[in-house]
Amino acid sequence: MVSKMAKIAFILLCHKDPDAIIKQANSLTAVGDYMSIHFDASASPEAYKKITEALGDNPNVCFAHKRIKCGWGEWSLVEATIYAVQSAVEAFPRATHFYMLSGDCMAIKSAEYAHEFLDRRDCDYIESYDYFQSDWIKTGWKEERLIYRHWFNERTQKRRFYAMFNLQKRLGLTREIPADLEIMIGSQWWCLRRRTIEWILDFIKKRKDVMRFFATTWIPDETFFQTLVRHLVPEHEIECRTLTFLMFTDYGMPVVFYNDHYDLLLSQDFLFARKISAEATELRRRLGVLYASEGQRFKISNEGRSLYKFLSEKGRTGRRFASRFWEKESSLGRERELMIVVCKKWHVAKRLLERIRQMTNIPCIEYLFNEDSCELPDLGGIQSTMGKRHRHRRALMRMLFDYYETDRLVVCMDPANLDLIEDFGRDRSLTRILEIECQFSDEYLIGHAMRVGLAGERTPPETLQRLLPTVRNDMVHESDRIRDGNFANLLRMREIETQDTNADMVASFLSVPQDKARQIIDHDHLYAD
């Protein structure tokens, strides 16, 4: 390794799994980087002894000069970090960068790539957003974290924690934030230059008032370093981001990565990722080998968050949430027929509806639950927003039957609208469903990925090829769920099927003669993209 290259001192806070820590330390230091370990004092002495004995002869590993018991949301997490940093600064004079890690983190790039990345720009990588102006804190306390004193752990001493808070609030015992500090907030997974770390350690010695203030704030690991870096370092030398890839669910829980996430992780514009599942032994093995490799080239596409959002927002039973509940409004009417055309390719369904309009007198409405621009009559405002259409779906449909003065109505729905299809399928009215099964070319799937934000114009071809199976499988899964719905009147029209067979499906769906059905589907470009 060229001497001018960055050399990283990893700051590892951990409390369990000594075998994994030993592997992590040996892997990261094998290429010349360093590690300073703070192993929680509340952990078993046997586990700590195992780590120190296994790594004691490794000259690139040191241990925090003082061990303390750490608790979530406590100052102890910052204090433990400071102890590990102080030991690293003293033990590793050649370290150029100091990188915060947890035992659940693993490198998703090679050391060669990481060093070149850090050499590219002389800056600190840390999320550092204005505490009061940003929306980093989504819900819960904001000012209360700072202006009141928090001596107890909210998770293990909940009664004392809230009793002291309520007492201070009742007596008006607030305090001022240090006047020269602008409080910042962000992720605790930072990477700071040696000069910045030395400035912070010097600041800590001089400003006991600031240390006293942060020592009784709540969740200071999200504010302490973030505030001090912004206070001490020129703004143009701060890159307001983390180099550790992490995602959270809607419930605030970290997304966990498994063996089949290897390719996805490597394509993200980050150096490390968390959380890697302890059970993902193959992923851990491959990532461990990766860090020591040379000559690796990485195609950065950064689609991880958009891909996770795309899949998780489906709200699928057994894949994310339990079944949804919707309001139960009165029936559409026992004598009415609702005919639902279900098709992922909206332009195909719209062409079929246009043919139905031409050949029958049945009113047809396109994707009213998917497109804001869907042409609907004025029904007193219930049709005005997509939210209202979904919330009052049965009332909306009843009003459409009444508006057109008909007992028969055809509408289009996307296969993803299974909740709507199930709701109408259980109604006392007669509901028929015609699913149009289309063929999906790679070009169509790529276009679809771009339309839903999974890919962009600059997404590399290799990334697109990795996305295609995901998008294709998602569409197959939607179709499978409709088949598994056990609908009483489900018919399937297939692009690869004969005209006669498809005409039979349409005839049954619309209750029209076979020759009329054949005329309806007699369209030269029905399936064309």
Side-chain angles (χ1 to χ4, degrees):
M1 197 161 46
V2 182
S3 59
K4 71 175 182 177
M5 268 193 149
K7 292 180 77 70
I8 307 169
F10 294 104
I11 308 301
L12 179 66
L13 266 57
C14 48
H15 64 280
K16 61 180 180 179
D17 204 348
D19 291 329
I21 292 167
I22 293 165
K23 286 181 182 178
Q24 187 182 30
N26 284 330
S27 172
L28 294 178
T29 60
V31 294
D33 288 323
Y34 310 106
M35 179 172 285
S36 178
I37 300 173
H38 179 278
F39 193 71
D40 202 305
S42 63
S44 72
E46 294 78 18
Y48 184 61
K49 182 180 179 183
K50 185 174 185 177
I51 295 170
T52 53
E53 288 180 351
L55 300 174
D57 295 332
N58 188 330
N60 287 6
V61 173
C62 74
F63 294 87
H65 60 85
K66 184 178 180 181
R67 291 173 63 212
I68 58 173
K69 295 180 180 180
C70 297
W72 184 89
E74 290 183 11
W75 168 251
S76 55
L77 286 173
V78 176
E79 197 172 15
T81 304
I82 292 171
Y83 293 149
V85 166
Q86 289 171 335
S87 296
V89 167
E90 184 176 344
F92 311 126
R94 295 181 62 202
T96 62
H97 293 76
F98 294 76
Y99 195 122
M100 270 291 293
L101 282 183
S102 75
D104 297 320
C105 296
M106 288 200 73
I108 56 174
K109 298 291 186 294
S110 63
E112 181 182 62
Y113 179 97
H115 297 151
E116 290 175 354
F117 181 95
L118 293 176
D119 281 336
R120 251 178 255 153
R121 187 178 172 200
D122 185 24
C123 69
D124 298 303
Y125 294 91
I126 182 169
E127 283 190 348
S128 181
Y129 299 103
D130 187 288
Y131 187 90
F132 294 101
Q133 299 302 317
S134 72
D135 63 347
W136 206 87
I137 299 175
K138 302 295 184 187
T139 59
W141 287 356
K142 199 165 195 175
E143 186 182 41
E144 293 88 346
R145 291 192 189 187
L146 306 175
I147 63 172
Y148 296 106
R149 298 163 183 82
H150 304 279
W151 292 283
F152 300 103
N153 186 292
E154 192 268 344
R155 292 190 174 180
T156 61
Q157 300 169 291
K158 191 178 289 285
R159 183 173 294 180
R160 291 180 177 178
F161 179 89
Y162 286 105
M164 290 305 300
F165 168 73
N166 290 326
L167 178 63
Q168 292 176 79
K169 191 175 181 180
R170 190 164 62 249
L171 298 177
L173 299 177
T174 60
R175 58 175 172 177
E176 295 293 327
I177 295 169
D180 60 331
L181 289 187
E182 183 179 356
I183 304 300
M184 311 300 286
I185 191 167
S187 165
Q188 64 269 53
W189 311 111
W190 42 254
C191 178
L192 304 177
R193 296 166 295 173
R194 185 179 194 93
R195 186 188 67 176
T196 302
I197 287 292
E198 290 172 346
W199 284 351
I200 290 173
L201 294 180
D202 187 54
F203 184 91
I204 286 172
K205 292 177 185 176
K206 295 177 180 177
R207 294 293 301 271
K208 299 301 180 184
D209 61 318
V210 172
M211 298 298 282
R212 285 193 298 272
F213 170 77
F214 276 106
T216 50
T217 59
W218 190 42
I219 322 181
D221 55 313
E222 294 179 350
T223 55
F224 180 77
F225 289 99
Q226 296 77 359
T227 299
L228 264 57
V229 169
R230 187 68 68 170
H231 182 72
L232 298 169
V233 178
E235 185 172 355
H236 68 273
E237 295 182 20
I238 301 173
E239 183 75 26
C240 191
R241 60 164 292 190
T242 174
L243 296 180
T244 298
F245 179 59
L246 66 159
M247 296 189 296
F248 291 90
T249 68
D250 290 347
Y251 302 111
M253 301 299 292
V255 173
V256 179
F257 299 108
Y258 296 93
N259 290 334
D260 57 349
H261 287 123
Y262 180 80
D263 290 329
L264 180 141
L265 291 175
L266 264 59
S267 66
Q268 305 311 305
D269 189 20
F270 296 86
L271 303 183
F272 281 74
R274 73 181 303 267
K275 292 185 162 186
I276 308 297
S277 170
E279 300 172 2
T281 53
E282 179 62 14
L283 177 60
R284 286 178 170 270
R285 183 194 67 77
R286 294 177 73 183
L287 292 177
V289 171
L290 175 71
Y291 195 69
S293 65
E294 295 182 356
Q296 289 275 357
R297 292 294 173 262
F298 299 90
K299 297 284 187 180
I300 305 299
S301 61
N302 239 19
E303 82 281 5
R305 287 192 172 91
S306 59
L307 180 60
Y308 176 77
K309 185 172 184 283
F310 170 72
L311 292 175
S312 64
E313 281 188 345
K314 295 296 180 181
R316 294 172 182 151
T317 304
R319 299 183 79 186
R320 182 175 181 230
F321 300 122
S323 301
R324 300 178 188 177
F325 292 92
W326 41 75
E327 66 210 50
K328 291 179 171 57
E329 297 180 305
S330 57
S331 170
L332 303 183
R334 200 181 292 274
E335 74 287 353
R336 285 173 168 167
E337 295 180 38
L338 176 63
M339 290 161 279
I340 305 173
V341 176
V342 178
C343 186
K344 198 67 183 180
K345 289 187 177 182
W346 294 2
H347 56 279
V348 175
K350 290 178 180 181
R351 286 180 194 141
L352 181 66
L353 254 65
E354 184 56 37
R355 296 291 293 170
I356 294 173
R357 286 193 193 100
Q358 294 171 3
M359 305 299 297
T360 73
N361 61 355
I362 306 173
C364 298
I365 301 170
E366 296 176 356
Y367 286 86
L368 72 164
F369 294 109
N370 303 99
E371 288 185 306
D372 282 308
S373 59
C374 175
E375 191 172 330
L376 290 171
D378 185 355
L379 302 173
I382 194 173
Q383 84 295 340
S384 59
T385 68
M386 195 60 68
K388 287 183 178 180
R389 295 180 202 176
H390 279 259
R391 281 196 304 275
H392 308 294
R393 60 194 70 169
R394 292 197 182 191
L396 172 64
M397 207 64 75
R398 283 200 314 274
M399 293 171 80
L400 287 170
F401 276 110
D402 293 339
Y403 178 86
Y404 289 109
E405 298 181 347
T406 181
D407 288 331
R408 308 186 75 211
L409 189 66
V410 179
V411 299
C412 291
M413 292 188 191
D414 190 279
N417 298 136
L418 184 63
D419 57 345
L420 297 171
I421 299 168
E422 287 181 329
D423 193 15
F424 290 123
R426 286 198 302 268
D427 192 79
R428 289 197 298 271
S429 63
L430 176 60
T431 302
R432 293 196 188 95
I433 302 165
L434 176 67
E435 183 184 7
I436 305 177
E437 186 179 296
C438 300
Q439 299 299 106
F440 298 106
S441 66
D442 287 354
E443 291 75 15
Y444 176 84
L445 293 176
I446 290 171
H448 179 74
M450 291 181 175
R451 285 190 293 275
V452 299
L454 282 177
E457 294 294 337
R458 297 184 179 179
T459 302
E462 297 87 348
T463 301
L464 291 174
Q465 290 305 311
R466 285 205 308 274
L467 282 174
L468 289 181
T470 300
V471 178
R472 191 182 298 278
N473 290 339
D474 186 73
M475 292 182 177
V476 170
H477 179 76
E478 289 177 344
S479 181
D480 285 344
R481 291 202 59 204
I482 292 173
R483 296 186 196 191
D484 294 339
N486 296 318
F487 296 106
N489 299 291
L490 175 62
L491 302 156
R492 182 163 288 103
M493 177 177 165
R494 306 173 71 201
E495 182 177 353
I496 61 173
E497 197 55 84
T498 66
Q499 285 283 82
D500 286 341
T501 301
N502 283 337
D504 287 341
M505 297 296 106
V506 173
S508 298
F509 176 67
L510 296 173
S511 301
V512 298
Q514 220 268 353
D515 60 335
K516 176 75 67 111
R518 176 179 275 279
Q519 287 180 283
I520 290 172
I521 64 172
D522 186 17
H523 190 297
D524 292 338
H525 307 291
L526 181 62
Y527 299 99
D529 291 333

